[in-house]
Amino acid sequence: MAGPAGGRPLIITEDPLLLDDLLRLCAAAGAEPHVHHAVPERTGAREAWEADGAGVAEGGASVGWESAPLVLVGDDAARRVSGAPRRDGVFLVGRDLDDPLVWQRALEIGAEEVLRLPDAESRLVDRIADVVEGAGRPALAVGVIGGSGGAGASTLACALAVRAARAGERTILIDGDPLGGGIDVLLGGESVQGLRWPDFAGSRGRVGAGALEESLPELHALRVLSWDRGDRVAVPPAATRSVVAAARRRGGVVVVDLPRRVDEAVAEVLAQLDLVLMVVPGELRAVAAAGRVAAGVRMAARDVRVVVRGRCPAGLDPEDVAGLLGVPLAGEVPVEVGLPGRVAEGEPPGAQGRGALARFCDGFWQRALAPAQGVPA
């Protein structure tokens, strides 16, 4: 069912072939657009444009030029809408835009971009789908990776997600390690109904953000995308990229538990993360192993920082560990006594607000989610 007039794209064109293309792309994005077949000639006066309504849609529904969230202007109609008030979200669209004057016409109507079909079809479907989903600010996406085996990366990833959800953030926790046994186990939700990674192996193109969120198991006020306990199923890198992108479009927070081996699918995830936290136990051997992990991660990630877990018996403090790895220090998480036993009894990591793990996570999110501050330094 279509939404209100203000939530549907506006198409302005008299070209029947172009209209067919745009209607097809809107359908692919799940949008039912308003269509204005004939735009009257205008002299450029704002009053004349507004007085005429500037957009009587099919079926008689009225939608204004300024109220539509997205306006797709056919190249044939560019000159006729040049008198419309300037606004964001206007795109000039055509099937043959080799005309060198097309850029001048785009400038005259204040178009954000000129889109040539069929080359720009994927781009246009994405923009239309953003309107349908009400996409706003993307989620803050944080990856967690172990610098060595048994570093506690999955525990930290779970705790970060739990604390973000308890702070009221829309949160999705993604298990990026197909060999990890399923991160839903740490949350006590391995039997909860919902989709797992193998269900997305055949995904092609864009994944709906709202549909993704609603399909995932809900545990401890957050959504979880985990692996199942069946035979291993390979999820193509393109499908991985689409799923993570959909999770980010819902806003809030996305936490990804990453494997230490960076393959093509993991690289797709790393490229979409705002920050990667590498967990390194306070041991010399772990620091040596983490150096190799960091080298691989930094090839795809934009920002990598180290979280030191426990004190190093050889006398290295957290700053020394970060210095040896050449990675900025994000903080230190002391070993929390009794945590494994509580997890075994069904209590997720980070559930105890006064524990060391919860305090670290709360401090991290307070800095990361502070207005206009972004990821903490």
Side-chain angles (χ1 to χ4, degrees), residues 265-316:
V266 174
E268 291 284 3
V269 177
L270 288 170
Q272 297 191 61
L273 299 178
D274 298 296
L275 171 66
V276 176
L277 298 175
M278 185 170 62
V279 185
V280 182
E283 303 168 359
L284 286 175
R285 242 183 112 187
V287 173
R292 294 189 291 272
V293 175
V297 172
R298 281 187 291 192
M299 294 179 65
R302 70 188 74 172
D303 191 349
V304 183
R305 304 181 196 182
V306 63
V307 175
V308 178
R309 179 170 167 264
R311 286 287 180 177
C312 183
L316 294 175

Side-chain angles (χ1 to χ4, degrees), residues 28-367:
E32 184 180 344
H34 290 282
V35 179
H36 194 283
H37 288 294
V39 180
E41 293 289 344
R42 287 296 163 211
T43 61
R46 177 188 179 99
E47 294 80 5
W49 179 275
E50 292 176 338
D52 194 66
V56 179
E58 283 186 313
S62 177
V63 59
W65 167 272
E66 294 185 351
S67 65
L70 185 73
V71 180
L72 306 177
V73 179
D75 187 43
D76 64 291
R79 288 191 176 91
R80 294 192 297 277
V81 303
S82 60
R86 293 302 176 98
R87 51 152 294 166
D88 295 331
V90 176
F91 292 82
L92 184 62
V93 188
R95 290 180 295 109
D96 183 10
L97 301 182
D98 291 331
D99 180 358
L101 296 180
V102 69
W103 304 105
Q104 179 180 335
R105 293 196 291 275
L107 185 64
E108 289 172 354
I109 67 172
E112 290 185 15
E113 198 171 339
V114 175
L115 301 175
R116 178 187 291 111
L117 303 183
D119 294 351
E121 285 193 356
S122 295
R123 163 81 173 148
L124 187 50
V125 168
D126 282 348
R127 289 306 301 263
I128 297 170
D130 283 343
V131 168
V132 174
E133 296 173 357
R137 182 178 179 180
L140 176 62
V142 178
V144 185
I145 190 168
S148 63
S154 296
T155 298
L156 178 57
C158 280
L160 283 168
V162 167
R163 300 311 300 177
R166 292 196 174 187
E169 294 292 332
R170 169 184 274 148
T171 305
I172 296 181
L173 173 61
I174 298 177
D175 186 354
D177 187 358
L179 301 180
I183 204 166
D184 52 357
V185 175
L186 273 177
L187 296 168
E190 59 269 28
S191 62
V192 176
Q193 294 297 311
L195 299 185
R196 266 70 175 180
W197 266 118
D199 297 304
F200 296 96
S203 298
R204 298 290 183 272
R206 183 186 178 102
V207 175
L212 171 68
E213 184 179 35
E214 293 172 5
S215 71
L216 300 179
E218 184 173 6
L219 301 164
H220 305 283
L222 59 96
R223 298 285 180 165
V224 183
L225 176 54
S226 184
W227 293 87
D228 60 12
R229 260 58 64 187
D231 294 337
R232 182 179 176 184
V233 175
V235 178
T240 301
R241 178 177 64 248
S242 295
V243 169
V244 175
R248 292 204 67 195
R249 286 198 303 275
R250 291 300 284 173
V253 165
V254 173
V255 180
V256 185
D257 182 29
L258 296 162
R260 288 189 294 132
R261 182 176 179 273
V262 180
D263 57 17
E264 188 177 354
V266 174
E268 291 284 3
V269 177
L270 288 170
Q272 297 191 61
L273 299 178
D274 298 296
L275 171 66
V276 176
L277 298 175
M278 185 170 62
V279 185
V280 182
E283 303 168 359
L284 286 175
R285 242 183 112 187
V287 173
R292 294 189 291 272
V293 175
V297 172
R298 281 187 291 192
M299 294 179 65
R302 70 188 74 172
D303 191 349
V304 183
R305 304 181 196 182
V306 63
V307 175
V308 178
R309 179 170 167 264
R311 286 287 180 177
C312 183
L316 294 175
D317 59 24
E319 289 77 11
D320 292 331
V321 173
L324 288 171
L325 294 173
V327 176
L329 179 66
E332 178 187 3
V333 179
V335 175
E336 190 168 317
V337 178
L339 178 61
R342 294 196 300 271
V343 170
E345 294 174 358
E347 178 184 289
Q352 291 206 355
R354 288 183 287 184
L357 189 57
R359 290 198 303 271
F360 171 85
C361 295
D362 289 346
F364 173 83
W365 291 127
Q366 286 170 9
R367 297 188 302 273

